[in-house]
């Protein structure tokens, strides 16, 4: 029997936490994650979820609580956004280094200075190298389903999982969500078996000082040094790929919903042009692909669902020999380009792929980005490629890139030519299509 | 504590640690941040302490303890005592936020601060627990200009069920305080003055002597506060009854770290020690 309810992304996540029978929760308020922790408080105080809820005084402490509770053998959850995630940075490394299956929701939000409470993905992308698995959701259904999958993945490989979804665009937007059956979730998710022992019956010193080299224990057995432990974390994270794929498959069998394992595609089979992105931006790209198809451009979408471990093999397979690849992302690696774009290019290295790759930085700090604009950007890139540009510069979409003192007026808002081109390129029917779309914050925008 | 550990010769911390672990006995889980204690616990894969211990990051000791308590509660293992042990840096400075939070949440654990009055593990840098007039590697010429933070007062303001001040030079007094603390529920705070030969600059054989002098002069005061009731304990109780404290110079002159202390600083410090002593006397009355 299906149980479809209309809810926000944060409500979906809270129900996912409840269904996963989490035992310890710790969280700290930050927009746009707050309503998730409020919903969980309701469950715990209302007796719907039997769990310890530790309302600490900072995000650094949040993760300390999760680390310790997970170490003694409890299933734990936390969530945060933006500055909260950055404040956890030290603890993110500590959690992964401890090999604890902590699951966290990162409700993506831009980072200061200056203050922005609006959505982009700079917060979690900046934590790429902390040893956490990162999964990006494209809608509220995927949030609830991914959360349940995340525990199974984390507890199989002993690597923490960050379930990322876009602030406001998903967290505060109502969508229909089918709530999985509690008993089925229970079967899908066996109880957590801790891999470390922290009990008076068998005293151990966990995470002590470790030397660069390997050392013998009192029985003369050579034990790991720091690098061996790091290598094991790397192998576990790489190996998580198979677990993620298998978990998604098993989930599909039980619950009938397939969100893709490492990535998903849309109209990609015969596509000559691929648009790629993470999170809700990728579903926006599917609308853009439809528009481009109407213009008789064979466009398709690859949604990168798992950013770490990076889906290198899948990317190589699915991107194959395309005419052009457009990477849209809500982050920037200052001094270079978008982090996703760099990773994709690295994955293509050695495949002989000569497809031009054009990187678009979009939606930083919540700057609006519509499917129409993604389609227009694709068209202008295609034009540039047709006129011989194989490696166009990174484009900041919908951004006035005029710098005082510079002669050249850059691309984006201020570019007259581009505006004109868009006018020429679009039929009325497409425009009508565009007008029906448009997402935005559904509930009050709180202070940072 | 097993024989042989990595602390320095004459380490006041290693003495105190031995006594407090004896008093706590089994059924305890420890959490410790980066500090000399991490080094004392040994290098992977060996350890000098046969009690389960979770190492945590430098700022997070009390939050780490909160997580242990929460996890154990969730698993219905409420028989275990959770004990956090941090240095003065990990308590007065970088750990104060997490500690204040855990205390306000009435977390059921014992927080131990061993106070060696500087960041010793990183080589004797100034902390907010360093006393006025002391040389450290970050106050190498002028000495520390400000007085020591009164952490006991701060923790007392949290209205704890149990708070105590102890010294590694008075084992029985220290032992009794841990036995008492273990029986009480809620956040318990015990601060131990732990002399440190390389940091305080005195010969390792004098650790107990220095520790005793700190109490004789009233620089360190042995007391406990249970449910708001203040009591002098051990040697400080005797001193309070007899009114026979030594001038602080007797304590200071034996340590190289005070060799550049000015007369004004000495007078100021003596005044502060007297003032606080009188405050304690009033509370005990
Ligand atoms: C966030 C962070 N900052 C700095 C350090 C470096 N550090 C490690 S131990 C230590 C000093 C510890 O001082 P204290 O807490 O007084 O303990 P002690 O070493 O004196 O026993 C410092 C500064 C660290 N580990 N983590
Ligand atoms: S530096 Fe001081 S506190 Fe640290 S181990 Fe040596 S004597 Fe003990
Ligand atoms: Mg210290």
């Amino acid at each position: 029997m299906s149980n479809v309810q209309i809810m926000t992304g944060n409500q979906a996540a809270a129900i996912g936490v409840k269904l996963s029978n989490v035992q310890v929760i710790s969280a700290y308020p930050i927009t746009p994650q707050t309503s998730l922790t409020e919903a969980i408080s309701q469950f715990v105080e209302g007796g719907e979820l039997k769990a310890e809820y530790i309302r600490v005084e900072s995000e650094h402490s949040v993760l300390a609580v999760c680390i310790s509770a997970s170490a003694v053998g409890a299933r734990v959850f936390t969530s945060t956004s933006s500055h909260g995630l950055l404040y956890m940075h030290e603890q993110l490394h500590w959690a992964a280094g401890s090999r604890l299956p902590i699951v966290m929701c990162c409700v993506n939000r831009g980072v200061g200075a200056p203050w922005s409470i609006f959505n982009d993905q700079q917060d979690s992308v900046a934590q790429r190298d902390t040893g956490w698995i990162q999964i990006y959701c494209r809608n509220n259904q995927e949030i609830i389903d991914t959360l349940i999958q995340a525990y199974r993945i984390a507890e199989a490989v002993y690597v923490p999982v960050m379930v990322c979804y876009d602030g406001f665009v998903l967290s505060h937007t109502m969508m229909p969500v089918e709530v999985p059956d509690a008993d089925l979730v229970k079967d899908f998710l066996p109880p957590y078996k801790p891999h470390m022992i922290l009990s008076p019956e068998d005293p151990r010193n966990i995470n002590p000082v470790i030397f660069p080299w390997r050392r013998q224990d009192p029985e003369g057995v050579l034990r790991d040094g720091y690098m061996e432990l790091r290598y094991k974390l790397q192998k576990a994270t790489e190996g998580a790929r198979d677990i993620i794929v298998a978990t998604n498959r098993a989930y599909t069998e039980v619950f009938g919903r397939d969100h893709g394992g490492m990535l998903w595609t849309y109209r990609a089979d015969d596509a000559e042009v691929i648009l790629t992105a993470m999170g809700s931006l990728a579903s926006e790209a599917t609308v853009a692909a439809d528009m481009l198809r109407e213009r008789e451009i064979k466009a398709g979408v690859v949604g990168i669902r798992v950013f770490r471990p990076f889906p290198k093999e899948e990317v190589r397979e699915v991107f194959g020999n395309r005419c052009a690849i457009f990477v849209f992302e809500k982050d920037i690696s200052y001094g270079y380009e978008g982090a996703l774009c760099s990773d994709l290019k690295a994955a293509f290295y050695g495949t002989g792929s000569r497809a031009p790759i054009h990187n678009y930085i979009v939606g930083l700090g919540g700057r609006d980005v519509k499917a129409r604009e993604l389609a227009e950007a694709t068209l202008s890139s295609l034009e540039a490629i047709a006129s011989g540009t194989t490696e166009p510069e990174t484009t900041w979409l919908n951004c006035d890139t005029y710098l005082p003192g510079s002669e050249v007026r850059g691309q984006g808002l201020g570019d007259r030519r581009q505006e004109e081109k868009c006018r020429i390129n679009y039929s009325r029917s497409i425009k009508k299509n565009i007008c029906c779309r448009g997402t935005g914050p559904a509930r009050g925008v709180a202070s940072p | 504590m097993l024989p042989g550990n990595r602390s320095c010769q004459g380490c006041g911390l290693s003495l105190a640690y031995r006594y407090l672990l004896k008093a706590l006995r089994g059924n305890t889980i420890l959490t410790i941040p980066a500090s000399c204690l991490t080094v004392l616990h040994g290098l992977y894969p060996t350890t000098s302490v046969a009690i389960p211990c979770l190492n945590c990051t430098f700022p997070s000791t009390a939050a780490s303890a909160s997580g242990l308590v929460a996890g154990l509660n969730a698993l219905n293992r409420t028989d275990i005592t959770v004990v956090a042990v941090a240095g003065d840096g990990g308590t007065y400075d970088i750990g104060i936020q997490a500690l204040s939070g855990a205390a306000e949440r009435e977390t059921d654990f014992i927080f131990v601060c061993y106070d060696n009055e500087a960041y010793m593990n990183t080589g004797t840098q100034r902390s907010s627990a360093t006393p006025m007039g002391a040389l450290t590697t970050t106050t190498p010429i002028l000495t520390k200009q400000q007085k020591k933070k009164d952490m006991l007062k701060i923790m007392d303001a949290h209205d704890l069920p149990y708070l105590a001040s102890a010294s590694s030079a008075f084992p029985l007094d220290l032992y009794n305080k841990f036995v008492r603390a273990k029986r009480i529920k809620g956040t318990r705070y015990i601060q131990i003055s732990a002399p440190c030969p390389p940091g305080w600059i005195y010969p390792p054989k004098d650790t107990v002597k220095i520790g005793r002098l700190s109490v004789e002069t009233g620089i360190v005061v042995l007391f406990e506060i249970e449910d708001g009731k203040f009591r002098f304990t051990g040697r400080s109780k005797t001193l309070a009854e007899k009114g026979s404290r030594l001038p602080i110079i007797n304590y200071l002159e034996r340590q190289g770290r005070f060799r550049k202390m000015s007369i004004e600083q000495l007078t100021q410090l003596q005044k502060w020690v007297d003032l606080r002593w009188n405050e304690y006397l009033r509370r005990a009355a």
Side-chain angles (χ1 to χ4, degrees):
Chain A
M1 200 189 72
S2 94
N3 175 13
V4 178
Q5 297 172 25
I6 310 287
M7 63 179 79
T8 64
N10 281 348
Q11 284 166 335
I15 295 172
V17 169
K18 188 171 74 173
L19 290 171
S20 302
N21 283 310
V22 170
Q23 294 165 299
V24 174
I25 296 132
S26 185
Y28 191 81
I30 186 166
T31 305
Q33 159 265 187
T34 311
S35 57
L36 164 53
T37 63
E38 289 168 347
I40 296 174
S41 307
Q42 288 277 349
F43 292 154
V44 174
E45 292 201 352
E48 284 179 68
L49 174 63
K50 196 181 167 304
E52 298 283 318
Y53 192 145
I54 313 298
R55 300 143 183 100
V56 290
E57 79 306 320
S58 76
E59 287 91 351
H60 196 282
S61 289
V62 160
L63 213 40
V65 167
C66 291
I67 289 166
S68 295
S70 182
V72 291
R75 181 175 285 162
V76 305
F77 175 78
T78 186
S79 60
T80 190
S81 298
S82 181
H83 288 260
L85 187 68
L86 304 188
Y87 197 32
M88 283 180 183
H89 181 76
E90 178 185 37
Q91 303 292 72
L92 290 173
H93 281 279
W94 201 265
S98 308
R99 301 294 303 275
L100 293 168
I102 298 165
V103 172
M104 167 197 299
C105 280
C106 173
V107 186
N108 290 113
R109 160 182 158 180
V111 299
W115 286 117
S116 168
I117 59 158
F118 302 103
N119 165 243
D120 67 37
Q121 295 173 344
Q122 189 74 15
D123 51 358
S124 55
V125 170
Q127 307 307 310
R128 184 187 66 177
D129 300 331
T130 53
W132 284 60
I133 292 168
Q134 287 195 354
I135 309 179
Y136 288 78
C137 303
R138 87 199 93 145
N139 56 42
N140 295 357
Q141 183 69 62
E142 192 173 353
I143 294 171
I144 195 168
D145 294 336
T146 302
L147 204 58
I148 295 161
Q149 293 180 22
Y151 280 102
R152 185 147 140 175
I153 296 162
E155 290 167 14
V157 293
Y158 296 106
V159 176
V161 177
M162 203 180 285
V163 177
C164 307
Y165 58 91
D166 293 304
F168 297 115
V169 180
L170 298 182
S171 68
H172 289 63
T173 305
M174 295 278 210
M175 293 179 191
V177 171
E178 180 167 343
V179 177
D181 177 74
D183 290 328
L184 288 180
V185 175
K186 215 173 225 167
D187 292 341
F188 181 79
L189 212 53
Y192 162 41
K193 279 195 216 68
H195 72 113
M196 62 169 67
I197 298 162
L198 194 62
S199 87
E201 292 83 49
D202 185 3
R204 286 156 195 247
N205 188 24
I206 294 172
N207 295 331
V209 181
I210 189 164
F211 265 22
W213 49 87
R214 301 166 75 210
R215 289 180 84 235
Q216 283 183 350
D217 71 11
E219 277 88 46
V221 183
L222 206 53
R223 298 290 182 182
D224 290 342
Y226 183 84
M227 268 189 91
E228 283 76 24
L229 293 184
R230 283 298 165 269
Y231 181 74
K232 284 178 176 169
L233 176 56
Q234 160 70 355
K235 282 290 141 189
T237 312
E238 280 180 352
R241 181 206 164 276
D242 292 344
I243 304 288
I244 293 166
V245 171
T247 303
N248 181 66
R249 201 180 306 125
Y251 196 88
T252 309
E253 273 163 27
V254 179
F255 300 96
R257 282 184 298 280
D258 180 359
H259 299 291
M262 298 295 284
L263 48 74
W264 52 268
T265 58
Y266 177 79
R267 299 182 86 168
D269 287 351
D270 66 336
E272 291 166 347
V273 171
I274 293 282
L275 284 68
T276 187
M278 300 195 292
S280 64
L281 184 59
S283 43
E284 203 67 19
T286 62
V287 182
D290 290 344
M291 294 172 179
L292 290 162
R293 290 257 174 188
E294 284 187 38
R295 303 286 310 158
E296 289 179 357
I297 289 163
K298 284 190 178 170
V301 175
V302 175
I304 304 293
R305 181 168 182 253
V306 182
F307 186 45
R308 283 294 180 277
F310 195 72
K312 180 178 167 184
E313 293 309 321
E314 289 83 352
V315 155
R316 284 176 164 214
E317 200 185 307
V318 78
F319 280 83
N321 280 328
R322 312 287 184 169
C323 298
I325 296 163
F326 303 108
V327 187
F328 297 95
E329 54 191 307
K330 293 180 175 177
D331 65 90
I332 174 73
S333 175
Y334 292 104
Y336 197 30
E337 60 188 358
L340 175 61
C341 186
S342 300
D343 284 352
L344 281 168
K345 285 178 179 171
F348 299 145
Y349 183 77
T351 60
S353 162
R354 300 186 60 83
I357 300 172
H358 196 161
N359 190 198
Y360 282 91
I361 305 301
V362 307
L364 296 190
R367 176 65 55 92
D368 216 15
V369 53
K370 295 187 174 68
R372 171 179 54 86
E373 291 155 346
L374 299 180
E376 283 165 3
T378 305
L379 286 172
S380 75
S381 283
L382 285 173
E383 197 172 280
I385 291 163
S387 64
T389 317
T390 48
E391 202 179 338
E393 255 182 68
T394 301
T395 305
W396 288 55
L397 196 69
N398 291 350
C399 173
D400 186 351
T401 53
Y402 170 72
L403 296 176
S406 121
E407 286 301 302
V408 203
R409 205 167 165 92
Q411 344 90 338
L413 276 187
D415 193 328
R416 265 269 195 66
R417 259 188 54 234
Q418 191 179 323
E419 277 168 27
E420 226 152 75
K421 197 164 52 206
C422 301
R423 239 176 284 142
I424 301 160
N425 275 330
Y426 279 89
S427 67
R428 254 205 219 116
S429 68
I430 295 174
K431 285 232 173 82
K432 191 167 148 251
N433 200 351
I434 296 154
C435 296
C436 326
R437 301 230 6 125
T439 46
R443 221 182 76 176
V445 172
S447 59
Chain B
M1 220 161 118
L2 305 169
N5 68 58
R6 286 181 178 263
S7 62
C8 312
Q9 246 186 13
C11 172
L13 158 65
S14 70
L15 294 179
Y17 206 44
R18 168 165 242 107
Y19 312 141
L20 77 88
L21 292 184
K22 268 189 201 305
L24 290 169
R25 299 180 181 278
N27 236 13
T28 297
I29 296 183
L30 298 164
T31 183
I32 64 171
S35 58
C36 279
L37 188 53
T38 329
V39 179
L40 184 151
H41 264 250
L43 298 172
Y44 183 77
T46 51
T47 180
S48 61
V49 179
I51 294 186
C53 176
L54 183 66
N55 287 264
C56 64
T57 58
F58 193 26
S60 71
T61 321
S64 175
S66 299
L68 290 174
V69 173
L72 291 168
N73 279 347
L75 302 172
N76 290 321
R77 296 211 57 178
T78 45
D79 53 319
I80 297 170
T81 307
V82 173
V83 181
V85 190
D88 48 291
T91 306
Y92 289 60
D93 290 344
I94 203 165
I96 192 170
Q97 173 178 315
L99 172 56
S100 178
E104 182 274 334
R105 291 190 304 274
E106 301 177 5
T107 309
D108 187 19
F109 79 122
I110 303 176
F111 191 102
V112 185
C113 168
Y114 67 91
D115 184 6
N116 54 23
E117 304 194 318
Y119 296 114
M120 293 309 180
N121 186 42
T122 39
T124 322
Q125 293 80 31
R126 166 208 198 277
S127 80
S128 61
T130 304
M132 177 186 280
L135 291 168
T136 68
T137 56
T138 49
T139 53
I141 297 167
L142 301 177
T143 75
K144 186 178 166 188
Q145 301 294 299
Q146 302 78 14
K147 58 183 187 294
K148 184 184 173 89
K149 186 193 277 184
D150 194 343
M151 191 65 194
L152 286 158
K153 214 176 202 171
I154 293 171
M155 290 318 291
D156 189 28
H158 286 73
D159 216 356
L160 304 176
Y162 187 76
L163 174 148
S165 159
S167 159
S168 61
F170 293 86
L172 202 63
D173 179 74
L174 190 152
Y175 184 94
N176 288 339
K177 283 169 178 161
F178 276 86
V179 170
R180 191 181 281 269
K182 184 154 179 163
R183 284 201 298 256
I184 295 167
K185 285 242 162 269
T187 305
R188 294 140 279 170
Y189 178 80
I190 302 181
Q191 187 170 302
I192 305 169
S193 173
C196 161
W200 295 11
I201 315 176
Y202 66 81
K205 67 175 173 49
D206 288 348
T207 290
V208 173
K209 190 177 286 170
I210 299 278
R212 287 210 177 127
L213 279 169
S214 72
V215 172
E216 293 295 339
T217 53
I219 287 257
V220 171
V221 182
L222 307 177
F223 68 86
E224 60 190 4
I225 303 174
E226 196 174 339
D227 291 329
K229 272 196 68 127
F230 180 101
R231 276 192 340 113
F232 285 107
T233 64
R235 182 67 191 152
S236 295
K237 190 173 171 209
T238 317
L239 292 173
E241 280 159 8
K242 287 202 201 136
S244 58
R245 267 182 311 128
L246 290 178
I248 59 168
I249 185 73
N250 292 275
Y251 166 76
L252 303 174
E253 69 185 2
R254 288 175 174 271
Q255 300 169 56
R257 63 173 170 157
F258 293 114
R259 68 177 178 271
K260 290 209 181 157
M261 199 176 186
S262 67
I263 297 293
E264 295 82 70
Q265 282 179 327
L266 177 70
T267 329
Q268 236 180 308
L269 187 58
Q270 182 69 65
K271 227 168 92 185
W272 181 73
V273 167
D274 294 345
L275 216 73
R276 196 187 53 173
W277 179 258
N278 289 332
E279 235 174 77
Y280 286 155
L281 282 175
R282 274 198 302 278
R283 274 197 78 172

